[in-house]
Amino acid sequence: MRNQHSDFNAALDDQLEKELDDIIGQLTLEEKVWMMSGHDFFKYFFGEDNRQFGQRTYQAGSGCERLGIDPLLFSDGPRGVRSKRPTSTFPVSMARGATWDTDLERRIGDVMGIEARAIGVTLSGAICINLLRHPGWGRAQETYGEDPHLLGEMGAALCEGIQAHNVIATVKHYALNSIENSRFRVNVKASERVMREVYLPHFKRVLDAGCASVMSAYNKVNGDYCGHSRHLLRDILKDDWGFKGFVHSDWVKGAYGADAAEAGLDVENPEPIYFGKNLVAAVNEGQVSQWAIDDAVRRILRTQFTFSRAEDDRAYDEEDIACDAHRQLAQEVAEKSFVLLKNDSLLPLDASKSMTIACFGPLMDMENLGDHGSSRTVPPYVVTLLEGLKARAGDPVEIIYDDGTDPAGAKALAAKADACIVAAGFTWEDEGEFIPGNEAMEGLDSEKKMDSRGGDRDQLRLLDRDEDLIDLVCSANPNTLVAIMAGSAVTMESWKHKPAAIMMVWYPGMEGGTAFARVVFGDVSPSGKLPFTIPQDERDLPFFDPNADEIEYGLYHGYTHLAKSGASAAFAFGYGLGYSTFAYGAPRKVVSQGKTCFEAEVTNVGERSSEEVVQFYVGFASSQIDRPAFLLKGFSRVSLSPGETTTVRFDLSQSDLAYFDETRCEWAVEAIDYTAHIGADSVHALEQGVSFGAGEIV
């Protein structure tokens, strides 16, 4: 979906650039530096907002009262527009990654853009595409998964939707940010090839879609804080990629000196802690160039004017916020996000038949939307899993709830029920943005003191209380569905053989309970696919230390790491069941309009209409260098009726085959044979393949 900002990073507007020359010439150094930071955040945060983040839009750069230039007004994401006013709350980004549906993500971006405009936001921090290197990462829920291609396509779609409403989108956190507890100090070491192939391509994809702002990460990369990394901000982002917009820091600890401006940081948020008078002095003393200041101001104003002067295709007002259409979209997203991992003939349940369903665990009846950090939104209401089941069940079905704290009572109830559902997993207390102390502890009981909240998980298995409850209920009644609420992978080897069904339901948003009931009772077939690998043993994954001061990232993680080591996944990347079955024909090469493409027939051989995510991988078995055995290069969601067949086609470009040659510091394509694979997941797809040469791809 292209819009008027899709080419923002492709070319400059000569007339606007001349206007900016004139404005920059009129500004004093102090006025320029004022534009290079946010203002008034601390006044509100420590004042009337009582240390509660996200209660208003925040000034986040620009602004010159003398020349009539307004400041940029920032609000966070990514599961909705952050405000004290109730806004639409979608499933977390990881859940949306599980939909593998870029059209759906554009529609979510569209809603975020509309609601942002209704609230007065001009700069949105909703696009989080940090790669999930290890599922223990606390903020995994804020991103889309472990694969750069999936991240890039989903992030680009969200960007296109948001910016269609003339809201500047920020993509974050640039770059190599995937440890939470030590995020303010950890030094991530990575080679140029690792950065270019694994941790940066999704950022470039989003910028190629027109994204106009970048937020730098807290961590260091190869010894430099990201906000001070000339290599990341100038060499790669602005020079190599041709980024035309501005870079702003993450909040509070995103910069550590005025020299960040010379390195390429254009705005320090949320206040001029190290910019402001320090930056003015650094320029006057020759430590920071006047050119760096003017370049920053030009980028800020170029972006702001491009968006503020663009024509709106509609009006925006309070009635747009959490309206019926947006609530319906939240339900649709949740329905498409659930990943059915196991189903031994339990689901779907038949709501027309008389039955008793026993539901267990505190998460069944809890508003569990995910992290309470910067990504938190406050919806007008939340439908819990239990509420959704009760509303959908109807007269023949009796829903009984037990929180599971009385083992004997829970076991007796489970034994008498026709089917059981156990909700297990985590809340904002267990994973999410790491915030020490009781600062901004929104929704926290004043009597409940915590040293910190959120942060990285120190293990991938469920909490003991959940595993004990699963064992207790399944021992009494194996006709049990375990619904897992989490932001990333959960290891299940000790108990996955016990229940009849297992489903990832994530943190499912304001309409999560409604969606859950519709999937459980078969109104809609589950169609989500894992956006990450679930290992049998977390030791099969790369080393992860939440408290690391330094760590090295390599080429391999997730499915590439397991393929390299020969380990088998418990549930593979891209895996997910439904209530129907799909058959795949062998992939084949076709030439269309002089271009080699790859296609396969997909048939719904089941008895229900359903949607399938068709995945396209390229294998590199003939490579003469060290590189992954195969990589995702495309995907397509299709909807098929029983017996219906469709042909799904994928294109390739030379860049899809390339690796980064560090000796020449450029991309290169090996003159070898490659293999194209099309299938239902990263294991199934490899069962069939068709060979092709590099020369066949344009």
Side-chain angles (χ1 to χ4, degrees), residues 146-221:
E146 71 180 33
D147 181 83
H149 183 81
L150 178 62
L151 285 167
E153 294 304 307
M154 296 296 284
L158 187 66
C159 170
E160 290 166 350
I162 291 171
Q163 293 196 162
H165 297 281
N166 298 318
V167 176
I168 301 165
T170 286
V171 61
K172 63 185 186 183
H173 307 84
Y174 183 76
L176 288 85
N177 174 259
S178 53
I179 299 177
E180 184 61 12
N181 291 11
S182 61
R183 59 180 168 157
F184 296 121
R185 66 178 189 274
V186 64
N187 178 36
V188 180
K189 298 170 65 177
S191 69
E192 191 73 10
R193 183 183 172 206
V194 166
M195 289 197 297
R196 297 280 188 154
E197 291 187 24
V198 183
Y199 292 94
L200 297 184
H202 35 295
F203 282 95
K204 185 177 187 301
R205 172 68 182 91
V206 175
L207 296 174
D208 287 345
C211 189
S213 180
V214 172
M215 179 188 288
S216 60
Y218 286 128
N219 53 279
K220 299 175 185 175
V221 172

Side-chain angles (χ1 to χ4, degrees), residues 113-135:
I114 290 171
E115 296 196 7
R117 288 295 304 277
I119 288 171
V121 174
T122 55
L123 177 63
S124 166
I127 308 173
C128 182
I129 56 168
N130 293 116
L131 183 139
L132 181 68
R133 176 181 175 270
H134 190 283

